[in-house]
Amino acid sequence: SRVADFVLLAGDFNIEPEDLGYQVICTLGNLYDAWECRPNAEFRNGMTCDRPDNCYTARSSLNTCPNGKRLDYIMFQSGNCK
């Protein structure tokens, strides 16, 4: 990726932002999380799994994570995150 103009990494990582794997990807990969860099940061919570508005979410999972979990990501490297 050193000679690339743009690096994109996307997928269902099954990790959360506070997990070590997320920190390794961002830090060692020198990647930015597109959700964290969005210009309209005041809108929505970004949860992609076990959301309360998803009819397939087990009600018991909402006891530990009432808003759901963010497990899907788009990471990129190109200039600075603004």
Side-chain angles (χ1 to χ4, degrees):
S1 68
R2 292 177 200 227
V3 296
D5 292 329
F6 188 79
V7 176
L8 184 68
L9 175 67
D12 179 358
F13 298 159
N14 287 329
I15 56 177
E16 296 183 65
E18 56 274 356
D19 292 343
L20 176 61
Y22 176 91
Q23 300 302 321
V24 168
I25 291 169
C26 290
T27 305
L28 294 181
N30 196 27
L31 297 172
Y32 295 106
D33 182 343
W35 178 257
E36 298 296 332
C37 296
R38 71 194 186 285
N40 56 349
E42 68 276 4
F43 298 111
R44 307 210 171 121
N45 64 12
M47 302 308 174
T48 60
C49 179
D50 294 335
R51 293 173 52 101
D53 58 350
N54 184 338
C55 65
Y56 295 104
T57 298
R59 296 297 129 198
S60 60
S61 66
L62 297 175
N63 293 333
T64 55
C65 297
N67 295 321
K69 298 177 183 177
R70 190 161 77 92
L71 304 178
D72 305 313
Y73 301 91
I74 299 172
M75 306 282 195
F76 70 95
Q77 181 187 85
S78 177
N80 290 325
C81 175
K82 296 180 182 177

